[in-house]
């Protein structure tokens, strides 16, 4: 990722402890609120790590055109929710 940007974690439905373990102090936590996530993505070029399932739920309600940049190979404990990395599209 572009190190000049900030990385956020959208924790809705995630155990994000391992993400913080590997990311250290460079990560910030977003509120578990879809509106806060979409406002962040629309108003910045920051990066967000989140679950793919939650991303699809958010996209169904918002018309923001943001595609995942990366997708994890792992799919979580229930094997149904890969992590993705998206970047905001500051308008």
């Amino acid at each position: 990722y572009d190190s000049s940007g900030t990385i956020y974690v959208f924790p809705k439905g995630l155990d994000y402890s391992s993400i913080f373990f590997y990311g250290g102090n460079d990560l910030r936590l977003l509120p578990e609120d879809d509106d806060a996530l979409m406002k962040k993505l629309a108003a910045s070029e920051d990066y967000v790590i989140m679950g793919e399932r939650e991303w699809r739920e958010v996209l169904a309600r918002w018309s923001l055109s943001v595609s995942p940049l990366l997708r994890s190979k792992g799919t979580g404990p229930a094997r149904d929710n890969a992590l993705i990395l998206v970047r905001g599209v500051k308008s």
Side-chain angles (χ1 to χ4, degrees):
Y1 74 93
D2 175 4
S3 60
S4 65
T6 302
I7 296 182
Y8 290 85
V9 176
F10 183 64
K12 189 173 181 181
L14 291 181
D15 173 6
Y16 51 87
S17 57
S18 61
I19 298 170
F20 276 93
F21 176 79
Y22 289 105
N25 295 328
D26 296 338
L27 300 172
R28 297 186 187 166
L29 199 58
L30 283 173
E32 292 191 21
D33 172 21
D34 294 349
D35 293 339
L37 169 68
M38 295 314 287
K39 287 176 185 174
K40 170 59 68 183
L41 292 173
S44 75
E45 293 181 343
D46 293 331
Y47 294 90
V48 178
I49 297 170
M50 61 186 299
E52 189 171 35
R53 181 178 55 232
E54 288 73 29
W55 176 244
R56 287 184 184 145
E57 291 171 3
V58 168
L59 281 182
R61 296 184 349 186
W62 289 78
S63 61
L64 191 61
S65 178
V66 177
S67 299
L69 301 171
L70 295 172
R71 183 179 190 272
S72 70
K73 292 181 181 179
T75 54
R79 300 184 186 271
D80 66 347
N81 199 19
L83 292 179
I84 60 168
L85 176 72
V86 297
R87 186 173 191 188
V89 292
K90 183 178 170 183
S91 12

